[in-house]
Amino acid sequence: MSVENAPIESVPAAVEDAPAAAEDTRPNVVFTVGSVLRGDDAAGPALAKRLEDEPIEGWTVVDGGQTPEDDLGYLRRLKPRRLLLVDAAAMGHEPGEIRLVTADDVATQFLITTHTLPITFLLGELEGICEDVTFLGIQPATTEFFDPLSAPVRRAVDEIYDCLAAGADFARYHPA
C-alpha cells in the first residue's frame, strides 16, 4: 500500500509527535530616520536612542539617520518579520501628532521630509524587504538647524515607545 493511500491510523507515531514548524525567529525592526541637528527632525533618532537605552523585547532598532538608504543592505540581511519606520513628516497637523503614512500619501499629499532621497523610494525598498511595513510620521513643530526637540514631538516619541512596549498595535493611529 502506498503512503498516500495508507489509513490514518498507520501513520508512524514519530510523524505525529514531530514538533510544530519552527517559530519565526526573524527580528522585528524599528527603523528610524532623521537629523539630530534639525529640531524635530530628530524624532526618529530620539526614539532610536531610547530603544538603545531601554530595549523592548522582540524589537531591534536601526537608526538610519540622515542617510537611511545606507542601511538597506543590512535590513535585507536581517529579513525582518515586521518593520516600523519612524520619521518626522510635515503633514499639516498639530505638532507631535502621529499618523500612519503610506507611499501613496507621500506621493499624492506632497508630505515633506528633510531627506534628499525620496521617502517613496525608501518605502518601496522597505516593502521589498519586509511584507509588514508600518510608517509612522510625527508632525514637527520646527526643523530649523540647532533647534531642540519640541515638547509635543518628545511626547510623540514616548508614545510610540509605549505603543511598542504594549504590543505594537499601530491601528490606534489615524492615516495621514
Side-chain angles (χ1 to χ4, degrees):
M1 179 182 307
S2 72
V3 173
E4 60 191 38
N5 294 327
I8 293 175
E9 60 269 11
S10 69
V11 174
V15 172
E16 291 176 358
D17 296 336
E23 184 179 322
D24 188 350
T25 59
R26 295 176 300 156
N28 296 312
V29 173
V30 177
F31 186 41
T32 64
V33 179
S35 170
V36 296
L37 298 176
R38 297 198 60 184
D40 289 339
D41 193 42
L47 178 61
K49 176 79 170 105
R50 176 132 188 230
L51 286 165
E52 288 167 0
D53 293 347
E54 302 171 53
I56 295 174
E57 186 175 345
W59 288 90
T60 298
V61 64
V62 176
D63 185 359
Q66 296 179 80
T67 56
E69 63 274 13
D70 291 350
D71 291 300
L72 290 174
Y74 177 65
L75 291 171
R76 280 188 192 90
R77 288 189 301 278
L78 281 179
K79 298 178 181 149
R81 177 178 30 190
R82 292 177 75 187
L83 190 141
L84 172 64
L85 174 65
V86 178
D87 190 12
M91 302 172 283
H93 298 293
E94 291 296 314
E97 284 196 37
I98 303 166
R99 297 296 172 126
L100 285 167
V101 181
T102 67
D104 288 340
D105 294 329
V106 175
T108 61
Q109 296 180 31
F110 305 107
L111 301 182
I112 305 298
T113 66
T114 60
H115 314 291
T116 55
L117 180 75
I119 202 75
T120 50
F121 172 81
L122 182 62
L123 280 172
E125 290 296 309
L126 293 175
E127 289 170 352
I129 291 169
C130 179
E131 291 179 17
D132 187 354
V133 175
T134 302
F135 176 12
L136 290 181
I138 301 173
Q139 175 68 47
T142 177
T143 56
E144 294 298 317
F145 278 103
F146 308 115
D147 278 354
L149 199 62
S150 69
V153 170
R154 169 63 64 194
R155 285 191 296 274
V157 167
D158 291 342
E159 181 181 328
I160 293 171
Y161 178 89
D162 292 344
C163 177
L164 286 163
D169 179 8
F170 307 120
R172 69 172 80 177
Y173 298 109
H174 300 289

